[in-house]
Amino acid sequence: MASLIEQCQVAPPPGSAAELTLPLTYFDNLWLLFNHNRRILFYKFPISKPEFVQTIIPTLKDSLSLALKHYLPLAGNVVCPLLDCSSYPELRYVTGNSVSVTFSETNMDFDFLVGNHPRNLKDFYHFVPQLREPKDAPGVQLAPVLAIQVTLFPNHGISIGFTNHHVVGDGATIVRFIRAWALLTKFGGDEQFLANEFIPFYDRSVIKDPHGLGKSIWDEIKKYKASMCDTMTPPDKVRGTFIVSRDDILKFKNLILSRRPNLTHVTSFTVTCAYIWTCLIKSEASTGEEIDENGVEFFGCAADCRARLNPPIPQTYFGNCIVGYVARTRHTDLAGKEGFTIAVELIGETIQKRMKDEEWILNGSWFKEYGTVDQNRSLSITGSPKFDLYAADFGWGRLEKLEFVSINNNNGVTISLSKSKDSDGDLEIPVPDHVSSLR
């Protein structure tokens, strides 16, 4: 569905730092086990193939090289020791490392792909790259952490697909890199347009580990014999995009407060997530599947810890700095008439309890909690309206559509949450078709 125009490697420009090594922290180690992240940015930008080849490709290469000067680890590798080795994993960039970039074209229907109607997830996998195979070195494997694919829809638009290993950084890190690259593209490589918010902070010493959590998690991770290979298996699933408007969110909040006036932490996030969770649970009744009414349902979301540690970590910290919050209750509680209210209360209380509990973060209780979750009965929320990829402006006009491709590859349901392109107060949520039918 996408034919190759050019395959190349893009490295930081000459004169960049010769080497950068970052040890993994306990926030990073967990992600050695999980799938790679894949996202696509679609831009409606009618351009011919000759123009694309002659102007867009050279410009993107040059600006990407400049962006990598500031984000060196993305051009490097995760260095993973062999399981019988006593050394510790790290991110490492050395001169000569680079990012694999694919330029392609397709005759697929751009307008169909960027719509909100149900679409098959397999269609999107033509526009995201696969990471290169890891290479063996003495005692370690060297695994690339980023690959990029730029696809031309002739006379309709351009997509940019990103595949990154989560171990290199969380959403805050990757979004800053994408927006930095976009700014450098738009302004012809002029680095003065990179504000401080797009310059990474690399000092890993700010992550305190008083309980030796990093080594404990690494020892646990080694038991799973995680593969560093990027296995790309498109799921045969359909997904639509659901827009929750600012007015809808206000109605949700007013409804909850009319029922529970003293309830705290009634936010746009909690009411939206509660709505999705209860819709998911209630939609199962239409599948005919036999459900244990007293079975436990799980809700999980990630929280950025940069501002929650003492002292706070700079917002531009490069790497992972997130933990997971888990709420749980019986299936029958969510499926009943008060399910929405119960879900809001549970999610809000969980966030309220954990957001100021630094010791819970430092002692690894969040990591242990993962082991108690039944993935087959879980809903996980990824992404955040704070990460505004719709502001990623390459000079081609506003982003038309953002798609998180890899969120439905696990046994449970994972849904991304992002700011809508049309309104700051609206939220955009790609959901499985049996849930989106409840609109």
Side-chain angles (χ1 to χ4, degrees):
M1 291 292 186
S3 57
L4 180 66
I5 295 176
E6 181 183 346
Q7 176 72 54
C8 62
Q9 300 295 131
V10 176
S16 301
E19 183 174 347
L20 178 63
T21 299
L22 301 175
L24 298 193
T25 73
Y26 54 86
F27 289 120
D28 301 314
N29 282 345
L30 174 67
W31 299 107
L32 288 166
L33 285 177
F34 286 81
N35 292 325
H36 300 83
N37 289 332
R38 309 185 200 278
R39 48 173 69 81
I40 311 174
L41 281 58
F42 288 94
Y43 292 88
K44 185 169 285 188
F45 183 58
I47 186 171
S48 67
K49 182 177 178 180
E51 290 176 292
F52 179 75
V53 171
Q54 293 167 16
T55 63
I56 299 298
I57 290 180
T59 298
L60 287 177
K61 287 181 183 178
D62 290 344
S63 58
L64 176 58
S65 177
L66 284 174
L68 291 173
K69 180 176 76 171
H70 300 281
Y71 289 83
L72 289 173
L74 295 179
N77 298 279
V78 56
V79 181
C80 195
L82 299 180
L83 296 180
D84 58 352
C85 183
S86 60
S87 56
Y88 195 74
E90 62 187 19
L91 298 176
R92 183 190 302 163
Y93 165 81
V94 296
T95 299
N97 289 163
S98 59
V99 173
S100 174
V101 183
T102 303
F103 294 96
S104 60
E105 66 174 321
T106 183
N107 60 3
M108 289 188 68
D109 189 332
F110 180 89
D111 292 327
F112 178 83
L113 289 171
V114 301
N116 291 338
H117 52 269
R119 291 142 298 148
N120 196 311
L121 275 173
K122 284 185 176 180
D123 290 341
F124 293 108
Y125 275 75
H126 301 293
F127 311 114
V128 287
Q130 192 164 5
L131 293 176
R132 287 174 294 163
E133 288 291 309
K135 294 181 179 180
D136 291 332
V140 298
Q141 270 197 331
L142 305 176
V145 294
L146 176 67
I148 297 171
Q149 178 176 335
V150 184
T151 303
L152 170 69
F153 295 74
N155 301 310
H156 287 88
I158 296 173
S159 71
I160 306 182
F162 300 86
T163 297
N164 70 274
H165 199 306
H166 206 316
V167 75
V168 76
D170 53 25
T173 293
I174 299 302
V175 169
R176 281 191 171 87
F177 158 71
I178 294 173
R179 291 189 59 185
W181 180 25
L183 282 170
L184 289 169
T185 304
K186 181 177 181 178
F187 294 109
D190 191 337
E191 294 177 81
Q192 70 176 348
F193 288 96
L194 286 187
N196 289 336
E197 65 176 304
F198 299 118
I199 304 301
F201 179 85
Y202 285 119
D203 185 359
R204 293 276 164 119
S205 69
V206 299
I207 304 294
K208 307 303 180 185
D209 190 5
H211 299 284
L213 189 56
K215 184 178 185 307
S216 298
I217 294 180
W218 170 235
D219 288 341
E220 190 67 24
I221 295 299
K222 286 193 289 186
K223 298 177 184 178
Y224 292 90
K225 300 180 180 179
S227 171
M228 299 305 294
C229 294
D230 180 15
T231 303
M232 195 159 71
T233 306
D236 189 13
K237 294 182 180 181
V238 174
R239 187 173 69 197
T241 302
F242 184 16
I243 305 297
V244 181
S245 72
R246 178 166 41 190
D247 290 342
D248 289 333
I249 292 171
L250 182 59
K251 290 175 183 177
F252 289 153
K253 291 179 180 178
N254 290 338
L255 175 62
I256 291 298
L257 293 173
S258 70
R259 295 177 178 177
R260 304 283 181 86
N262 298 322
L263 200 61
T264 59
H265 213 76
V266 180
T267 66
S268 298
F269 180 84
T270 55
V271 298
T272 301
C273 291
Y275 177 71
I276 297 169
W277 196 15
T278 49
C279 283
L280 174 66
I281 296 302
K282 292 176 181 179
S283 71
E284 291 182 320
S286 64
T287 66
E289 182 182 349
E290 189 172 329
I291 305 294
D292 180 1
E293 293 296 316
N294 291 311
V296 179
E297 304 287 354
F298 297 87
F299 171 86
C301 64
D304 190 332
C305 296
R306 287 169 173 80
R308 295 184 172 129
L309 297 175
N310 185 22
I313 307 301
Q315 286 300 304
T316 55
Y317 170 81
F318 182 100
N320 290 284
C321 196
I322 54 176
V323 296
Y325 295 163
V326 177
R328 66 192 76 202
T329 191
R330 296 182 306 162
H331 178 92
T332 188
D333 294 332
L334 298 175
K337 290 183 179 181
E338 293 297 311
F340 176 58
T341 304
I342 291 171
V344 172
E345 185 171 11
L346 280 170
I347 296 171
E349 285 181 349
T350 300
I351 294 173
Q352 189 77 16
K353 179 181 179 181
R354 298 303 187 196
M355 66 186 300
K356 296 180 180 179
D357 191 348
E358 184 181 27
E359 182 58 25
W360 178 80
I361 297 172
L362 295 176
N363 66 22
S365 295
W366 54 275
F367 175 68
K368 298 170 186 174
E369 197 165 16
Y370 283 125
T372 69
V373 175
D374 180 354
Q375 296 296 334
N376 293 307
R377 302 304 309 169
S378 67
L379 167 65
S380 300
I381 300 293
T382 186
S384 169
K386 296 178 182 178
F387 304 151
D388 189 8
L389 274 173
Y390 278 104
D393 183 357
F394 284 82
W396 310 328
R398 189 163 175 77
L399 179 66
E400 185 68 21
K401 193 67 182 294
L402 167 65
E403 288 289 348
F404 289 87
V405 178
S406 55
I407 60 174
N408 289 124
N409 282 353
N410 56 19
N411 294 329
V413 175
T414 303
I415 290 174
S416 65
L417 196 64
S418 63
K419 180 184 290 187
S420 171
K421 69 172 182 177
D422 296 319
S423 171
D424 285 343
D426 296 352
L427 297 178
E428 189 171 291
I429 309 160
V431 293
D433 192 38
H434 68 279
V435 182
S436 61
S437 64
L438 293 177
R439 282 180 255 187

